[in-house]
Each structure stands twice: as C-alpha cells, then as structure tokens.
C-alpha cells in the first residue's frame, strides 16, 4: 500500500503541521482551556495517522519508527510517575502533591497565566507524550499485522 | 434564567437522542460491517454534541477526537483486509442473555433516574456537603489551574489518572507483543 493520490498527499502535507501544532496547543494550555493531556495526545497521534494514511506506512515509519515510539511512550509514563514521586519527596501531603504551586507560588494570583498551576502542565505534557506515542504505536502495529501471512511464514 | 436556557435546548436534545437511537439500531441490524462502523461513528459524534449541551467541553473534545481515531483504526486496520459482510445468524442463547441483562438494567435505571436532579442542573449543587463543592470553591486558589477539570483530574484525583495511564500502558504493551510480526531482533534492525 503506497499511499493515496497526489491530491490527498498535497493537502495532507499542508494540514499535518496545523494538526500537530493544534495538538501541542491543546496539551500546553490544558490547565487553562478545555482539553488537556489525553485529548492533545490523541490529536498529536492523529497527525501521524494522517501521514500514514496518505503516504503509506513506510513513510510514517521513517518519521517515527516503532522503537522510537515505544521509547516515547515509556518516557511519558516515567515522567508522569516522576512528577508523582517528586510530590512524595518534596511535600508533606504525599503522593501527587502539587509541590511547585504550594511551595513557590502559594498566595500569588497567577490565574490564567501559562506558567501557573504547578505540576499540572508537567503532568499534561507527560500524558500527552504517552497517549500520542501509544496510540500511534497501536495503529502502526495493527496495520503491520496480517492474519493470513503471519501464521504460515515464520521468519 | 438557567431554567429557561435548559428548556430551550430540550427539543434539540431529544432530536439528537432519537438520531443516536436510530444509528444504534442500524449499527446492530445491518449486515455490512463498514456501514455498521460508520453508524458507531455517528453515535460517537452525537454523544460529543450531547456533552456540549451538558456544558462539558473537555469531554466533548476528547470524545470527538477519540471517535475519529477509533473510526480510522476500525476502518483501516480491520475492515480493509477482512471479511466485510456478516454471514450466519445470531446465537439464540446470546440474544436471550443480552435482552435479560438490558431489561434488568432498564428496570433498575428507572428507579435510579427518579432520584437525579432535572436535566442540566449539577448534582453537587443539590447535595449538601458534596466533595465537588470544595473543588469549585477552592480549586483555583489551591491548585492555580484556571481549568477546574484539569485541577481535579491532575491534582485532586491524580492517583486515578495514574491508574488510567497504567491501564493504557499495559494494554499497549499487550497489543504490541501479540500483534508484532517479526521477532525483537529483527525489529530493531532496518528492513532487509
């Protein structure tokens, strides 16, 4: 499967950047506007899925290969766990304690600022990375999978 | 004022509900798998519109995005290289069990739905001492996040989100292990 027609390829080469930027926006502004890590991560994954549908699986794999995607997935999960453990180490309240907000920004009125809310943007970025990589991974793996050939030929 | 806006929305809400029910029936009854998947997508978009009516834009965004990706997965990865028509009839036992389960849930739901507040009003506004009243009152001051949903799912109830992330991680590991075609050694090398 080598992709679709030239019309689809041209349009998707313009649109993929906008989709990717929109995903980053949704992730970064998750603590201010509707959205957040999960929705933004799915949008990030869908930009790569558009690339895969338009240009074929090989082209998408050149941009984000399967080992890299699985490493990004693990990095996202570890980052989220690290945020939680930092809360355990740095504060009295324990696991997932919002230490940045409570320590350094307590009492300041920084509502609607991009840099606010302590650990919440960090968690959003971690979840966005994790969800985006893992959903791209699952589509890549599903499109690689061929039930007819895999049972017969063992490489 | 609040009451009136809710009333104005009700006809659109019921039309949407009817559309979703019709799409559900078609999705179950049709023999063509592709049209069944498209009907499932229609149900998902209806659900995301309904979340907008309930003033939950976070859930609406997530629903619509997951719906698009799920449709792509279902169409591209399963249907394009599989049988697209259902052959054979349903099992009799399965039909009986599902009808009984749906009936029990429906009868229990009638009892439960009587205790809910009217459509469009929040539960926590009616219940004294509900935990969500604390989130609304102190959320901005305690966590600093303007989006209260983010402050709940990533601060007050972050442990829950960690559980969800773990479930996603585990399922991805399982899918990757089961569905991969080459062995691990071959996977890390470039294609021959």
């Amino acid at each position: 499967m080598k992709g679709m027609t030239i019309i689809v390829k041209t349009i998707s080469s313009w649109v993929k950047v906008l989709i990717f930027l929109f995903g980053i926006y949704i992730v970064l502004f998750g603590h201010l506007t509707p959205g957040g890590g999960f929705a933004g991560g799915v949008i990030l994954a869908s930009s790569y899925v558009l690339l895969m549908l338009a240009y074929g699986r090989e082209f998408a794999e050149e941009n984000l290969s399967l080992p890299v995607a699985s490493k990004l997935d693990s990095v996202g999960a570890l980052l989220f766990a690290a945020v939680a453990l930092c809360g355990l180490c740095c504060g009295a309240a324990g696991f997932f304690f919002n230490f940045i907000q409570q320590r350094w920004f307590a009492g300041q009125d920084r509502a609607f600022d991009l840099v606010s809310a302590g650990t919440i943007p960090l968690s959003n970025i971690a979840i966005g990375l994790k969800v985006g990589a893992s959903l791209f991974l699952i589509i890549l793996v599903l499109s690689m999978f061929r039930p007819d050939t895999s049972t017969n030929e063992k490489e | 004022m609040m009451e009136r806006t809710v009333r104005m929305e009700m006809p659109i809400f019921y039309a949407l509900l009817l559309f979703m029910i019709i799409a559900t029936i078609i999705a179950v009854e049709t023999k063509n798998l592709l049209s069944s998947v498209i009907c499932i997508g229609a149900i998902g978009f209806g659900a995301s519109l309904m979340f907008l009516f309930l003033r939950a834009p976070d859930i609406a965004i997530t629903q619509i995005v997951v719906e698009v990706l799920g449709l792509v997965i279902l169409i591209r990865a399963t249907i394009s290289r599989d049988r697209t028509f259902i052959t054979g009839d349903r099992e009799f036992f399965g039909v009986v069990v599902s009808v009984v389960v749906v009936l029990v849930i429906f009868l229990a739901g009638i009892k439960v739905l009587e205790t809910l507040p009217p459509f469009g009003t929040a539960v926590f506004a009616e219940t004294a001492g509900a935990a969500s009243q604390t989130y609304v009152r102190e959320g901005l001051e305690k966590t600093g996040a303007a989006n209260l949903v983010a402050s709940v799912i990533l601060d007050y109830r972050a442990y829950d989100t960690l559980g969800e992330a773990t479930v996603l991680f585990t399922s991805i590991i399982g899918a990757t292990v089961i569905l991969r075609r080459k062995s691990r050694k071959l996977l890390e090398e470039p294609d021959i």
Side-chain angles (χ1 to χ4, degrees):
Chain A
M1 228 176 258
K2 285 291 172 220
M4 297 187 184
T5 60
I6 183 104
I7 302 171
V8 179
K9 281 184 182 176
T10 314
I11 297 289
S12 61
S13 72
W14 295 340
V15 166
K16 72 181 188 232
V17 186
L18 297 178
I19 296 177
F20 198 78
L21 274 178
F22 183 61
I24 290 175
Y25 165 78
I26 290 276
V27 171
L28 283 186
F29 284 73
H31 58 297
L32 301 178
T33 53
F38 192 84
V42 181
I43 293 172
L44 289 180
S46 73
S47 76
Y48 272 98
V49 169
L50 176 73
L51 212 63
M52 200 174 84
L53 290 181
Y55 287 88
R57 175 165 56 81
E58 287 79 15
F59 187 81
E61 258 192 295
E62 279 173 23
N63 283 280
L64 185 62
S65 67
L66 207 147
V68 174
S70 73
K71 275 175 191 110
L72 278 180
D73 186 10
S74 312
V75 163
L78 279 179
L79 202 62
F80 192 47
V83 168
L85 284 179
C86 282
L88 189 62
C89 296
C90 302
F95 211 50
F96 273 113
F97 178 61
N98 197 342
F99 61 99
I100 299 177
Q101 170 73 17
Q102 303 280 345
R103 278 264 169 101
W104 296 302
F105 294 105
Q108 295 181 29
D109 188 25
R110 296 176 70 95
F112 298 99
D113 254 18
L114 181 57
V115 183
S116 65
T119 57
I120 291 178
L122 294 178
S123 315
N124 262 333
I125 291 169
I127 291 177
L129 204 62
K130 194 195 135 30
V131 170
S134 58
L135 286 180
F136 174 71
L137 204 62
I138 218 161
I139 291 193
L140 201 62
V141 162
L142 272 176
S143 69
M144 273 179 181
F145 178 65
R146 283 182 183 75
D148 298 327
T149 56
S150 63
T151 49
N152 294 330
E153 54 172 31
K154 294 258 171 156
E155 287 169 301
Chain B
M1 185 61 201
M2 195 70 184
E3 288 284 313
R4 178 171 292 169
T5 49
V6 168
R7 289 276 157 69
M8 296 269 283
E9 285 166 6
M10 286 317 264
I12 312 171
F13 179 72
Y14 282 125
L16 209 60
L17 210 59
L18 196 68
F19 169 73
M20 282 168 67
I21 289 173
I22 291 171
T24 315
I25 292 170
I26 294 174
V28 173
E29 287 299 322
T30 183
K31 291 284 179 194
N32 192 347
L33 268 186
L34 184 61
S35 56
S36 173
V37 166
I38 289 171
C39 284
I40 289 173
I43 299 164
F45 286 120
S48 87
L49 273 179
M50 217 175 261
F51 282 127
L52 275 183
F53 277 115
L54 288 167
R55 295 171 185 80
D58 291 83
I59 314 288
I61 288 176
T62 310
Q63 169 76 31
I64 208 161
V65 161
V66 169
E67 200 62 47
V68 168
L69 209 63
L71 273 185
V72 169
I73 290 178
L74 281 178
I75 291 175
R76 166 67 198 269
T78 65
I79 282 185
S80 66
R81 55 177 57 121
D82 213 351
R83 295 174 301 160
T84 52
F85 280 88
I86 300 171
T87 50
D89 291 327
R90 290 197 184 86
E91 271 184 73
F92 178 71
F93 183 69
V95 171
V96 169
V97 166
S98 51
V99 165
V100 167
V101 167
V102 165
L103 210 65
V104 167
I105 291 176
F106 180 70
L107 289 178
I110 288 178
K111 283 282 182 192
V112 174
L113 286 178
E114 284 170 0
T115 66
L116 284 181
F119 179 77
T121 51
V123 180
F124 69 85
E126 308 241 322
T127 317
S132 23
Q133 284 173 349
T134 318
Y135 301 155
V136 174
R137 206 167 46 239
E138 297 176 356
L140 182 59
E141 185 192 336
K142 281 266 176 67
T143 67
N147 184 3
L148 273 181
V149 177
S151 80
V152 170
I153 65 168
L154 291 175
D155 196 317
Y156 287 113
R157 293 282 178 264
Y159 198 62
D160 212 352
T161 313
L162 185 67
E164 276 172 38
T166 314
V167 167
L168 189 63
F169 192 64
T170 317
S171 61
I172 300 296
I173 288 176
T176 321
V177 168
I178 290 172
L179 293 179
R180 74 178 168 191
R181 196 162 38 127
K182 305 169 184 174
S183 66
R184 187 178 183 83
K185 215 179 104 190
L186 284 171
L187 207 65
E188 281 165 358
E189 289 170 2
D191 277 350
I192 305 152

